[in-house]
Amino acid sequence: MTSKPAAAAAQATVYGYPRQGPDRELKKAIEGYWKGRVTADALRETAAELRRSNWRRLVDAGVHEVPTGDFSYYDHVLDTSVMVGAVPGRHREAVASDALDGYFAMARGTQDVAPLEMTKWFDTNYHYLVPELGPDTVFTADSTKQVGELEEALALGHTARPVLVGPVTYLLLAKPAPGVAADFEPLTLLDRLLPVYAEVLADLRAAGAQWVQLDEPALVQDRTPAELNAANRAYRDLGALTDRPQLLVASYFDRLGEALPILAKAPVEGLALDFTGAAAANLDDLAAVGGLPGKRLVAGVVNGRNIWINDYEKSLATLATLLGLAGRVDVAASCSLLHVPLDTAPEKDIDPEILRWLAFARQKTAEVVTLAKGLARGTEAVAAEIAANRAALASRAGSPLTRDPVVRARAEAVTDADGRRSQPYAERAAAQRAHLGLPLLPTTTIGSFPQTGELRTARADLRAGRIDTAGYEERIRAEIGEVIAFQEKTGIDVLVHGEPERNDMVQYFAEQLTGYLATQHGWVQSYGTRYVRPPVLAGDISRPEPMTVRWTSYAQSLTGRPVKGMLTGPVTMLAWSFVRDDQPLGDTARQVALALRDEVHDLEASGTSVIQVDEPALRETLPLRAADHADYLAWATESFRLTTSGVRPDTQIHTHMCYAEYGDIVQAIDDLDADVISLEAARSHMQVAHELAAHGYPREAGPGVYDIHSPRVPGAEEAAELLRTGLKAIPAERLWVNPDCGLKTRAWPETRASLENLVAAARTVRAELPAS
């Protein structure tokens, strides 16, 4: 394919860049600040240097316009709440006293004040802090961060574009503040919010902004006529302002659909659209509305969410078509590069042939620059890059890693019966009660216990050869013994081994399954200072040998109480990996499910009576458009049942989910046919318990009473009150008592105190139950 140069030279840009630094410098500085080892000034300087480094790297790569405002100490939605003055009343005194400490208090809470609720950012594994709004909310502009970071970039000589969460998305992401009626709609505050955005835009223009990007990803979801009308009003009013920069309204993660004609006709100077995956439909939709004559189109043709290399010829063909649909076409990744690791270069343990297939943020930036060059100067200008890209794509397509005939034959032989338990729930429940002998309101935890510095050091020492395997395993046995002894002493009913041997709930399994690749430096932000290294699911999946039986059996040998076997479910194994894009997700999920089914069988055979298969990603992976839900939920729930349905009736299957909105997948939760589900509920005040009750959910559930993402220790009466709230929705014979999530990120002192209070709360409420 040969293309002619674009009439107006295309430019390269990105919407955001990983925040953490090459060695997670930001995480270390923030956590050092929390512990009093790093001063506020030192933290600010670390952050400033990371911003400078990111901009310098982007400009050196050939990016014409760098983003500002995408950097955050914790979360960009929380930054937006600060920008518009939407600080919850319980945090205002702390914010007024010390803005930085108050900011972190909103994110993490304090011993006396609860944090903001946290949930998933659309269908990603990034978490944002949910704004709390009410009819009395008063918005006030504070553009200090946004202006300051713009001025930093301009002072360095960069062309910079501030990036803000758009007003419509901000309100659609918000929820009613505590004490506000549940049916309050934050979007009704739009007319109150727009003047604040106008003030921020004027401040940015005064500081030198030529363009400002307003992100409106919420508009790619199904929206009501009222919500679409709000978007129309918002950009009619903002576009009509005279004291403002040029406006670029951005969407990503899916096609804009009904919102596209509204934004195309709005009096703004440009749109940024995603043209990857399902969002490729934006191309035809844009043509159908007559394009963007005289306006700027930023075309997201490089996938910003996955790590596979771009197909240059396909992207250049898309870009060539777009040239006829806009006054100017620039090139970008489909979304912020926040969702991918920083650089493939340090990955020395991955086969160089396979490494050619991968593109992290730095490589994706180079792809954007190459495509912009090809669009601006013609394909001859990037002929060498296209040839190398074509060869890398062919290498991947022909690799034996991607095709295992044995795995494929087994997956094709699966029948409907393989995904059904042998007895209905009522009969299983009776068998499990007789077998396990648990009290009403049984207590348990979600799986992990604190990963201490000693454990991390032992793992690092093993990798570096400073200790041998025997020494490492002795440390693991000692840790398991301590965890079991603590749980027995505290009075927990169903125990866990604490997972001291596991580095991550997905990576640990990925490293033991064929078809997965592990990175050493592929860190991605999940929330705040929590970073994960998603493995790369590159080929067909199988399990060469048992993965968890040894340590679970050892833990069970130390106690007469049941110890849960702990596995990560197939949907989460996909969602929290960089998953292959060369076959349907359902096919890949079935392969993972069969590998996990073997592990479930071996756990049961070893004497494990309670097996938990975590699926925290079930909701986050739900497609953004309702029309796509049924197909996804069909293969997602089938893969869970395929994992768990081969056990005896008296083996109790648990699952766990956290930090998402569950109301619209309650039927899918029911379809999993798990005997017990535990869910995050502490920050949302048991909302999910009422959603389960409204659905008529028939099985057992443990809505969490301990928010583990905050360092505060909930009192026994606080936990008891949450339990009483839960009992209004779920009867005592089906209600479990547990934390919201695993305890890996917490310290031992707060863990001990919190679990002791949790058990005390269960005993208190158990004593209040009427005699049977």
Side-chain angles (χ1 to χ4, degrees):
M1 182 194 77
T2 300
S3 67
K4 297 179 179 180
Q11 296 187 341
T13 189
V14 297
Y15 306 157
Y17 207 69
R19 302 160 178 165
Q20 67 266 27
D23 195 31
R24 291 180 292 160
E25 290 87 350
L26 184 63
K27 169 188 173 68
K28 295 170 184 176
I30 291 173
E31 293 180 350
Y33 176 73
W34 291 342
K35 295 174 182 177
R37 296 198 297 258
V38 173
T39 67
D41 286 344
L43 171 57
R44 293 187 181 100
E45 178 51 36
T46 296
E49 176 53 35
L50 288 172
R51 291 193 293 271
R52 290 191 293 266
S53 176
N54 283 350
W55 294 329
R56 184 167 55 248
R57 176 168 287 157
L58 290 170
V59 170
D60 289 349
V63 168
H64 300 88
E65 184 183 48
V66 301
T68 66
D70 60 303
F71 183 90
S72 179
Y73 285 122
Y74 206 96
D75 168 48
H76 58 278
V77 180
L78 179 60
D79 296 343
T80 308
S81 293
V82 173
M83 183 187 80
V84 302
V87 176
R90 65 186 181 279
H91 288 289
R92 286 177 194 154
E93 183 178 346
V95 171
S97 174
D98 185 296
L100 186 60
D101 287 346
Y103 175 89
F104 287 130
M106 286 190 285
R108 306 172 70 232
T110 66
Q111 184 56 42
D112 300 319
V113 183
L116 292 169
E117 184 179 339
M118 186 166 64
T119 195
K120 298 293 175 68
W121 175 251
F122 298 94
D123 56 349
T124 75
N125 189 35
Y126 177 82
H127 301 67
Y128 73 92
L129 278 303
V130 181
E132 296 177 357
L133 305 176
D136 297 329
T137 297
V138 176
F139 296 114
T140 56
D142 179 0
S143 60
T144 304
K145 175 185 185 296
Q146 291 71 27
V147 168
E149 293 179 14
L150 171 65
E151 290 177 339
E152 287 178 21
L154 295 177
L156 293 169
H158 304 316
T159 300
R161 182 186 70 254
V163 178
L164 310 177
V165 175
V168 179
T169 289
Y170 178 74
L171 293 175
L172 289 172
L173 292 177
K175 66 176 294 181
V180 173
D183 60 355
F184 172 75
E185 296 184 3
L187 194 59
T188 59
L189 301 175
L190 180 64
D191 291 336
R192 204 180 299 176
L193 181 61
L194 290 177
V196 174
Y197 269 80
E199 188 174 340
V200 172
L201 291 173
D203 290 346
L204 290 169
R205 183 190 184 204
Q210 299 298 309
W211 285 87
V212 168
Q213 177 176 320
L214 293 164
D215 284 0
E216 293 287 5
L219 296 181
V220 306
Q221 297 174 295
D222 297 310
R223 289 298 164 200
T224 65
E227 291 165 343
L228 293 170
N229 182 60
N232 182 53
R233 287 191 297 113
Y235 287 98
R236 176 198 66 196
D237 292 356
L238 292 178
L241 297 171
T242 56
D243 186 14
R244 66 166 178 84
Q246 297 181 91
L247 299 181
L248 178 71
V249 182
S251 69
Y252 35 82
F253 299 150
D254 211 320
R255 66 185 185 90
L256 263 177
E258 301 88 343
L260 179 56
I262 292 171
L263 295 180
K265 295 173 184 176
V268 299
E269 288 72 28
L271 294 186
L273 301 179
D274 185 350
F275 292 97
T276 66
N282 276 328
L283 179 60
D284 290 339
D285 292 349
L286 186 61
V289 300
L292 301 173
K295 292 187 177 184
R296 179 186 187 186
L297 171 63
V298 179
V301 292
V302 172
N303 191 324
R305 295 182 55 178
N306 213 328
I307 47 71
W308 304 107
I309 57 172
N310 188 259
D311 183 333
Y312 281 169
E313 291 177 300
K314 180 179 178 181
S315 293
L316 285 167
T318 297
L319 291 167
T321 302
L322 291 171
L323 280 178
L325 296 175
R328 165 185 167 188
V329 177
D330 292 331
V331 184
S334 61
C335 61
S336 172
L337 296 176
L338 169 74
H339 305 290
V340 296
L342 189 58
D343 189 2
T344 62
E347 300 300 336
K348 306 303 183 184
D349 294 339
I350 296 179
D351 184 331
E353 182 64 22
I354 296 173
L355 205 60
R356 305 170 62 197
W357 312 343
L358 309 183
F360 293 177
R362 195 167 186 178
Q363 288 71 41
K364 287 182 182 295
T365 301
E367 290 180 334
V368 168
V369 170
T370 296
L371 291 168
K373 181 180 178 182
L375 185 61
R377 303 182 192 176
T379 52
E380 295 84 354
V382 291
E385 290 91 336
I386 290 174
N389 176 253
R390 188 185 298 126
L393 292 170
S395 166
R396 181 185 173 203
S399 172
L401 175 66
T402 63
R403 294 289 186 275
D404 183 329
V406 174
V407 171
R408 291 178 175 260
R410 184 184 181 194
E412 290 170 3
V414 168
T415 67
D416 289 344
D418 293 325
R420 290 195 299 268
R421 297 287 294 271
S422 61
Q423 292 186 358
Y425 170 70
E427 296 177 20
R428 302 195 314 256
Q432 291 159 19
R433 279 193 289 271
H435 180 56
L436 296 172
L438 300 174
L440 288 175
L441 307 182
T443 55
T444 190
T445 65
I446 303 306
S448 61
F449 265 67
Q451 288 266 328
T452 63
E454 292 82 359
L455 275 175
R456 289 191 291 270
T457 297
R459 196 173 293 128
D461 287 346
L462 177 66
R463 287 197 302 269
R466 290 186 290 269
I467 60 173
D468 59 14
T469 299
Y472 173 72
E473 292 184 349
E474 183 58 36
R475 181 71 190 89
I476 297 299
R477 277 191 289 272
E479 185 71 19
I480 291 173
E482 292 174 17
V483 167
I484 293 294
F486 165 75
Q487 292 174 92
E488 285 194 314
K489 180 181 178 182
T490 303
I492 293 174
D493 298 304
V494 176
L495 313 188
V496 297
H497 79 289
E499 305 176 11
E501 78 286 5
R502 303 187 188 183
N503 45 15
D504 176 82
M505 66 181 290
V506 172
Q507 183 182 350
Y508 177 77
F509 294 98
E511 290 175 346
Q512 300 182 75
L513 295 169
T514 62
Y516 268 101
L517 308 173
T519 69
Q520 296 301 314
H521 305 277
W523 297 103
V524 176
Q525 186 180 20
S526 179
Y527 64 87
T529 61
R530 167 73 169 148
Y531 289 84
V532 295
R533 278 186 297 157
V536 178
L537 199 166
D540 286 346
I541 300 298
S542 61
R543 186 201 69 148
E545 59 185 12
M547 301 179 287
T548 66
V549 173
R550 179 187 179 194
W551 293 120
T552 304
S553 298
Y554 175 70
Q556 187 63 77
S557 74
L558 302 177
T559 179
R561 300 181 188 183
V563 175
K564 284 193 285 190
M566 301 298 306
L567 305 176
T568 301
V571 175
T572 301
M573 288 295 297
L574 267 61
W576 293 1
S577 302
F578 292 117
V579 67
R580 63 190 300 179
D581 60 356
D582 59 346
Q583 68 180 20
L585 285 173
D587 292 356
T588 307
R590 178 173 285 193
Q591 292 181 3
V592 176
L594 288 169
L596 294 173
R597 183 183 178 97
D598 293 342
E599 188 72 13
V600 168
H601 176 271
D602 287 346
L603 280 168
E604 184 183 58
S606 72
T608 303
S609 298
V610 182
I611 301 172
Q612 181 169 307
V613 180
D614 290 345
E615 282 292 19
L618 182 69
R619 173 61 182 83
E620 82 182 44
T621 315
L622 187 72
L624 298 177
R625 293 278 179 177
D628 301 321
H629 288 184
D631 286 345
Y632 160 72
L633 291 172
W635 66 254
T637 55
E638 182 220 46
S639 66
F640 181 90
R641 294 192 305 272
L642 185 58
T643 299
T644 58
S645 290
V647 298
R648 300 187 308 268
D650 63 351
T651 296
Q652 192 172 69
I653 295 294
H654 288 225
T655 190
H656 168 68
M657 300 180 191
C658 58
Y659 295 96
E661 301 295 332
Y662 301 107
D664 49 0
I665 62 160
V666 175
Q667 181 58 56
I669 292 173
D670 197 348
D671 291 343
L672 296 177
D673 198 25
D675 300 305
V676 182
I677 182 170
S678 56
L679 302 117
E680 172 271 328
R683 288 197 186 188
S684 58
H685 309 288
M686 288 284 163
Q687 175 182 330
V688 70
H690 296 283
E691 291 170 345
L692 292 174
H695 173 76
Y697 186 74
R699 289 176 286 280
E700 298 174 41
V705 297
Y706 163 25
D707 173 18
I708 67 89
H709 288 298
S710 171
R712 66 184 297 270
V713 175
E717 181 53 33
E718 177 184 337
E721 192 55 38
L722 283 172
L723 274 179
R724 296 182 188 108
T725 300
L727 281 168
K728 295 175 183 177
I730 301 171
E733 61 269 20
R734 292 196 282 112
L735 185 65
W736 283 65
V737 185
N738 46 258
D740 274 346
C741 202
L743 300 165
K744 175 181 178 179
T745 61
R746 298 271 56 90
W748 261 109
E750 66 208 53
T751 296
R752 288 191 185 94
S754 297
L755 292 180
E756 286 166 355
N757 289 346
L758 180 149
V759 171
R763 288 171 175 161
T764 296
V765 177
R766 200 178 287 144
E768 297 170 357
L769 296 174
S772 56

